[in-house]
Amino acid sequence: MSDLRVIIKRDSAEPEERTVTTGTTAAELFQGERSVIAARVGGELKDLAYAVADGEEVEPVEISSEDGLNILRHSTAHVMAQAVQELFPDAKLGIGPPVRDGFYYDFDVDKPFHPDDLKAIEKKMQEIQKRGQRFSRRVVTDEQARQELAGEPYKLELIGLKGSSATSDDGADVEVGGGELTIYDNLDAKTGELCWKDLCRGPHLPSTRNIPAFKLMRNAAAYWRGSEKNPMLQRIYGTAWPTKEELKAHLDFLEEAAKRDHRKLGSELDLFSIPEQIGSGLAVFHPKGGIVRRVMEDYSRRRHEEEGYDFVYTPHATKGTLFEISGHLDWYADGMYPPMQLDEGTDYYLKPMNCPMHNLVFDARGRSYRELPLRFFEFGTVYRYEKSGVVHGLTRARGFTQDDAHIYCTKEQMADELDSTLTFVLNLLRDYGLTDFYLELSTKDPEKYVGSDEVWEEATETLRKVAEKQGLPLVPDPGGAAFYGPKISVQTKDAIGRSWQMSTVQLDFNLPERFDLQYTAPDGSRQRPVMIHRALFGSIERFFAVLLEHYAGAFPAWLAPVQAVGIPVGDAHVPYLQEFAGEAKRKGLRVEVDASSDRMQKKIRTHQKLKVPFMIIVGDEDMTNGTVSFRYRDGSQENGIPRDQALAKLVDVVERRVQV
């Protein structure tokens, strides 16, 4: 055997040159390193069974890395599919990709899976895992693949996609799309006999024994490849982790997230609902939710006024001509509601965006450089026809209100305006109690953009400098910008560490051109303004949901629908509390008195569940001394507080917007 020279690369060490014999596998290169489950060779992921070639650069892939987790979860999806077909022999295979924190696999079966079915499938998966079956890769021709998978109609469709339209959007790229078809065999560890096989690009773990911890989570219906025109399949979701401890931590996290689900809290706290009679993705806010929303909006409105924004108001519907000018009908029609034909056949649309109308406000009269920057702001309600499968409570709705701003400035003002806008955005989000941020810079897609390269480069560099001034982590998003300009996205983490995209600051080189927006420059020439889109909350509804989950329903007093509730020890104490509540209301506080016939302890439990920040308890001694007692959310109590001091404390906590 001849010798080969390979380069071993690791993140934290200098490249190591190693001489090995022909036929040496990646597994042999990293022998003894149990955490290594695959290799990256020349930039491509490979199984550990891959035989290295002379001069290749080889990097170990550890199971805890992002690539390693994807391989672990994709291999676990194969084990699940094998278990399903052993238990349900007539099940036809769809696609089974890894996803964030887990995996899924789609199946064509004669009826939906029952929770008991999932238990049986998980038990069968454990049996397969213990058998230690080997994942073995085989290259096949199209014809061989069709012969071997003749009984799998969905796989036959995927074979026809090889090297073409297989995309990560529908998961097809985990099986085909690489220009070469491969089948992975699951082979018995002792005899080498074939146990199961699947069309797949790989790579995979060496053996099912390398799957340390997994659990099936739920099942749901899903259209084949995400299209409503295709058959409805049954999807099973699962999760897999490098250790049992990490699996438990993830399940504990999901349990906490379920407690904070805004849909659950919205019902329990009587904040909002999404009535079936109105339609999916269209919420109504109840009185208590309406208070929270109004306070959110009022505070935002006041801060915008302080920052020099002008409020505008625009209608919910418009002639289609407006969206022809803006280009929305060319590139966003699928996300819009169908037109209404009015006025002898004229198409009217519910607006999906506010920006075209703001441009009309700008263009309503001549503009001078002396007016710039112009900052238009609106709580503008828009409507987008989201597919039913992606609608999710308030976070992905079909009708929602954006806190939408559009800034028009000169090119010379652009850098300062972007800087002040991003600072304003971050400070306002902090006022609502979010503190953990990072920024994402989306740059030009070289295949899809308008404007010159020079303008893009200048704008992108300006955004980069503006972002770096904030001293926050800056994550690149190459090619992620919309075709009309680069943008900065503000990402935040909530109380349990989940990331949410919040605000965006987006430059637009397209709409000012389409609407022929102009202002008069100092030399009398007509110039095109720079346009900046800025949505701070994203939408009121979505931000409401994020805050609701962040606080687990226990809003700080300034946002809480009821800031304090009076709890009388007995009926004789009700008038005293009502007098106190009247004084509080005159100071702008939201205070109620529970005069129901329930016993005091039941009243306390009721309002603890409603997450009221303060309970004002009054008994005989308080009435005699002109005092009240505070009971806080954590159950602690402060007794004998003079009424004026109690009112002053409530006012102070609300004005300072602190959590208690």
Side-chain angles (χ1 to χ4, degrees):
M1 288 188 178
S2 59
D3 290 339
L4 306 176
R5 180 185 59 84
V6 295
I7 308 297
I8 309 296
K9 296 183 67 176
R10 301 177 188 269
D11 290 339
S12 58
E14 289 293 319
E16 170 197 352
E17 185 174 314
R18 192 181 299 180
T19 301
V20 298
T21 57
T22 301
T24 297
T25 64
E28 291 170 314
L29 289 180
F30 305 112
Q31 193 169 3
E33 300 183 45
R34 297 183 62 183
S35 63
V36 176
I37 50 89
R40 184 177 290 278
V41 182
E44 292 187 14
L45 291 172
K46 300 287 186 181
D47 301 308
L48 285 182
Y50 174 79
V52 297
D54 187 47
E56 288 185 325
E57 293 184 345
V58 186
E59 303 172 62
V61 175
E62 298 197 353
I63 195 169
S64 58
S65 67
E66 182 178 354
D67 286 330
L69 288 171
N70 284 335
I71 293 168
L72 162 65
R73 290 162 181 163
H74 187 40
S75 297
T76 311
H78 272 227
V79 170
M80 179 177 74
Q82 180 181 349
V84 166
Q85 289 201 314
E86 287 188 13
L87 293 170
F88 303 90
D90 293 332
K92 303 302 180 186
L93 300 174
I95 293 170
V99 293
R100 182 185 173 123
D101 294 335
F103 59 89
Y104 69 79
Y105 212 114
D106 291 338
F107 303 94
D108 192 347
V109 287
D110 58 2
K111 62 180 180 180
F113 292 108
H114 186 273
D116 289 342
D117 294 332
L118 266 62
K119 292 178 183 177
I121 294 166
E122 188 170 298
K123 183 177 179 181
K124 179 62 70 174
M125 289 173 68
Q126 291 166 350
E127 294 175 8
I128 295 170
Q129 187 269 343
K130 290 177 182 176
R131 293 178 202 157
Q133 294 176 2
R134 287 189 296 110
F135 289 96
S136 180
R137 178 178 184 270
R138 273 190 299 125
V139 177
V140 293
T141 65
D142 291 17
E143 187 56 36
Q144 287 172 326
R146 289 191 179 94
Q147 288 177 2
E148 292 194 40
L149 300 169
E152 297 285 357
Y154 301 102
K155 299 296 182 182
L156 294 177
E157 179 179 329
L158 293 177
I159 292 169
L161 298 178
K162 183 186 71 170
S164 58
S165 60
T167 69
S168 59
D169 294 340
D170 58 17
D173 66 330
V174 302
E175 311 215 3
V176 296
E180 181 179 64
L181 285 181
T182 53
I183 286 178
Y184 271 81
D185 298 324
N186 281 26
L187 303 177
D188 184 273
K190 295 180 180 178
T191 66
E193 292 181 1
L194 177 67
C195 302
W196 187 77
K197 62 186 173 185
D198 195 6
L199 181 72
C200 186
R201 291 177 64 184
H204 280 284
L205 300 172
S207 160
T208 59
R209 279 194 181 277
N210 295 108
I211 302 174
F214 64 87
K215 183 172 180 58
L216 298 188
M217 306 302 297
R218 61 188 176 90
N219 64 291
Y223 290 108
W224 167 239
R225 300 190 64 210
S227 172
E228 296 175 3
K229 299 176 182 178
N230 290 336
M232 181 76 77
L233 306 182
Q234 292 297 309
R235 176 173 295 177
I236 300 178
Y237 289 93
T239 188
W241 294 85
T243 65
K244 291 180 179 178
E245 292 75 18
E246 287 172 278
L247 173 61
K248 182 180 183 305
H250 178 67
L251 296 177
D252 290 345
F253 168 82
L254 292 179
E255 184 178 352
E256 178 60 28
K259 293 177 185 175
R260 293 170 178 260
D261 189 315
H262 71 279
R263 297 167 299 176
K264 174 175 176 288
L265 291 171
S267 175
E268 292 174 353
L269 302 178
D270 193 21
L271 300 175
F272 69 89
S273 60
I274 303 176
E276 184 179 338
Q277 299 91 323
I278 295 178
S280 175
L282 301 168
V284 294
F285 282 77
H286 302 184
K288 288 183 177 178
I291 290 172
V292 179
R293 177 169 174 160
R294 175 176 55 78
V295 173
M296 288 169 54
E297 291 179 359
D298 286 350
Y299 183 72
S300 174
R301 187 177 285 107
R302 176 164 69 83
R303 292 287 290 111
H304 277 83
E305 289 171 347
E306 292 170 356
E307 291 293 319
Y309 284 79
D310 294 315
F311 281 76
V312 298
Y313 297 88
T314 60
H316 292 220
T318 174
K319 290 180 179 178
T321 306
L322 180 65
F323 296 129
E324 290 173 4
I325 297 170
S326 69
H328 284 92
L329 283 178
D330 292 331
W331 53 269
Y332 199 73
D334 289 345
M336 297 169 63
Y337 274 85
M340 303 171 282
Q341 289 201 335
L342 307 169
D343 300 340
E344 299 180 354
T346 301
D347 284 347
Y348 280 76
Y349 288 86
L350 293 172
K351 64 176 178 179
M353 315 268 185
N354 298 301
C355 41
M357 295 187 181
H358 288 194
N359 286 338
L360 296 182
V361 176
F362 180 93
D363 203 37
R365 63 174 176 82
R367 300 290 178 179
S368 165
Y369 74 94
R370 298 179 187 276
E371 298 178 76
L372 305 185
L374 265 179
R375 306 181 186 102
F376 292 157
F377 179 83
E378 176 181 17
F379 287 117
T381 301
V382 298
Y383 302 88
R384 298 179 185 174
Y385 187 68
E386 300 282 6
K387 291 183 178 180
S388 59
V390 300
V391 171
H392 183 82
L394 299 180
T395 59
R396 194 75 181 264
R398 287 175 167 171
F400 51 90
T401 301
Q402 291 184 308
D403 59 327
D404 216 357
H406 294 95
I407 301 165
Y408 304 87
C409 63
T410 68
K411 186 177 178 182
E412 293 73 25
Q413 293 168 332
M414 180 177 70
D416 287 343
E417 199 61 27
L418 288 169
D419 186 29
S420 62
T421 298
L422 185 56
T423 299
F424 172 57
V425 162
L426 290 166
N427 286 340
L428 191 52
L429 291 175
R430 290 183 180 108
D431 288 345
Y432 288 94
L434 300 171
T435 58
D436 190 352
F437 302 108
Y438 68 94
L439 304 176
E440 188 173 88
L441 177 60
S442 299
T443 53
K444 181 179 67 179
D445 178 350
E447 302 298 322
K448 189 178 181 182
Y449 68 98
V450 296
S452 69
D453 291 338
E454 294 76 14
V455 171
W456 271 85
E457 288 170 11
E458 180 183 354
T460 301
E461 190 57 30
T462 300
L463 281 176
R464 189 188 316 281
K465 290 177 180 177
V466 164
E468 289 172 347
K469 281 182 67 175
Q470 297 297 329
L472 297 170
L474 181 60
V475 178
D477 177 27
F483 71 90
Y484 48 83
K487 72 174 178 180
I488 293 174
S489 303
V490 177
Q491 314 280 341
T492 189
K493 291 187 177 180
D494 66 13
I496 58 173
R498 295 173 299 181
S499 291
W500 298 87
Q501 179 174 310
M502 290 280 93
S503 313
T504 56
V505 179
Q506 168 89 57
L507 283 166
D508 190 336
F509 308 134
N510 182 50
L511 286 185
E513 185 80 27
R514 281 181 169 270
F515 281 83
D516 193 23
L517 302 183
Q518 296 181 12
Y519 68 91
T520 302
D523 63 1
S525 63
R526 304 291 288 167
Q527 299 293 327
R528 191 84 67 205
V530 173
M531 183 178 182
I532 302 170
H533 300 253
R534 194 238 61 199
L536 196 150
F537 296 153
S539 78
I540 298 292
E541 289 80 359
R542 186 172 182 276
F543 192 61
F544 183 101
V546 170
L547 290 183
L548 184 56
E549 296 197 12
H550 175 64
Y551 289 115
F555 287 113
W558 75 284
L559 284 173
V562 178
Q563 294 168 330
V565 62
I567 307 288
V569 174
D571 290 345
H573 309 119
V574 171
Y576 181 90
L577 271 171
Q578 288 174 333
E579 184 180 319
F580 178 87
E583 293 179 45
K585 289 177 182 178
R586 286 190 288 275
K587 293 182 178 292
L589 299 170
R590 298 185 291 277
V591 179
E592 297 178 352
V593 176
D594 188 341
S596 69
S597 60
D598 292 335
R599 295 172 64 87
M600 184 183 76
Q601 290 303 321
K602 184 177 181 183
K603 292 179 181 180
I604 290 173
R605 288 195 299 273
T606 296
H607 295 289
Q608 278 180 327
K609 289 181 179 178
L610 293 175
K611 304 181 187 291
V612 177
F614 293 93
M615 295 185 206
I616 313 296
I617 300 176
V618 167
D620 290 338
E621 188 174 336
D622 289 304
M623 287 182 61
T624 300
N625 298 331
T627 61
V628 299
S629 297
F630 274 167
R631 181 183 175 90
Y632 301 98
R633 280 172 171 154
D634 64 2
S636 61
Q637 197 156 314
E638 191 176 353
N639 299 323
I641 306 171
R643 282 172 54 163
D644 59 344
Q645 292 183 24
L647 286 169
K649 180 170 184 175
L650 289 174
V651 170
D652 177 65
V653 167
V654 170
E655 287 183 347
R656 290 190 296 116
R657 301 187 307 278
V658 295
Q659 181 68 290
V660 293

